[in-house]
Amino acid sequence: MLSDPRFTINVDIFIPFHDCDPMGIVWHGNYLRYFEVAREQLLNQFDYGYRQMLDSGYVWPVVDVKVKYRRSARFEQIVTVRAVIAEYENRLKINYIISDKNTGEKLTTGYTIQVAVEKQTNELQFVSPDILFARMGIEK
């Protein structure tokens, strides 16, 4: 089921000057922002973006993140951020690969893990809520 193209996205990002240090190299914290840009577009592909999450009665905080820096991204480079849903039953794990758009060279890899928390009670959900399965078109 996860071969569905709605569960993978590629987003191109042009590296702006303000994301870089004085040497023109992307500051390490900005890679998390690039993950976020791809994650938001990925979730919107199956109509469960952040607004829909909130409207469904759940918040989905990031509880774990990993970033592996392989090569530096640089000012004016165009990178492609690939985001893929890796897990969804008990948590939402999304894997990322950031690569140079022109050469395909891998620059950064990583993942984020989010969990559902019921907005009204602030209770952690140990199984992803039915709304996620419904939006993904997966029978529970």
Side-chain angles (χ1 to χ4, degrees):
M1 179 65 190
L2 289 184
S3 61
D4 186 319
R6 295 176 309 141
F7 307 139
T8 300
I9 196 163
N10 292 312
V11 177
D12 291 339
I13 296 175
F14 177 83
I15 304 296
F17 178 75
H18 64 262
D19 281 2
C20 300
D21 65 19
M23 296 175 287
I25 296 172
V26 171
W27 177 69
H28 68 277
N30 283 320
Y31 291 89
L32 294 173
R33 194 164 46 81
Y34 303 154
F35 287 2
E36 175 70 26
V37 169
R39 181 171 62 243
E40 185 175 11
Q41 289 189 36
L42 174 64
L43 296 171
N44 284 332
Q45 283 191 154
F46 55 92
D47 197 31
Y48 200 55
Y50 291 122
R51 293 236 182 256
Q52 291 83 9
M53 286 177 171
L54 196 56
D55 290 345
S56 73
Y58 297 94
V59 294
W60 289 78
V62 172
V63 296
D64 191 13
V65 64
K66 178 179 181 183
V67 183
K68 173 72 175 174
Y69 304 100
R70 297 170 182 268
R71 296 223 182 264
S72 298
R74 298 179 178 275
F75 173 53
E76 294 184 330
Q77 185 175 21
I78 300 173
V79 297
T80 299
V81 183
R82 181 175 184 83
V84 179
I85 293 182
E87 297 177 29
Y88 60 88
E89 292 175 325
N90 301 311
R91 60 189 190 169
L92 191 56
K93 181 178 182 186
I94 301 175
N95 292 334
Y96 306 90
I97 299 172
I98 298 178
S99 57
D100 180 276
K101 181 175 176 62
N102 295 322
T103 67
E105 179 184 21
K106 261 188 217 177
L107 305 173
T108 305
T109 59
Y111 65 78
T112 55
I113 295 175
Q114 296 170 262
V115 294
V117 174
E118 191 173 2
K119 183 172 66 171
Q120 210 168 32
T121 63
N122 207 31
E123 290 183 20
L124 172 67
Q125 307 298 295
F126 292 101
V127 176
S128 294
D130 291 341
I131 185 69
L132 176 64
F133 292 92
R135 293 292 170 95
M136 291 178 77
I138 296 172
E139 299 221 8
K140 209 169 157 188

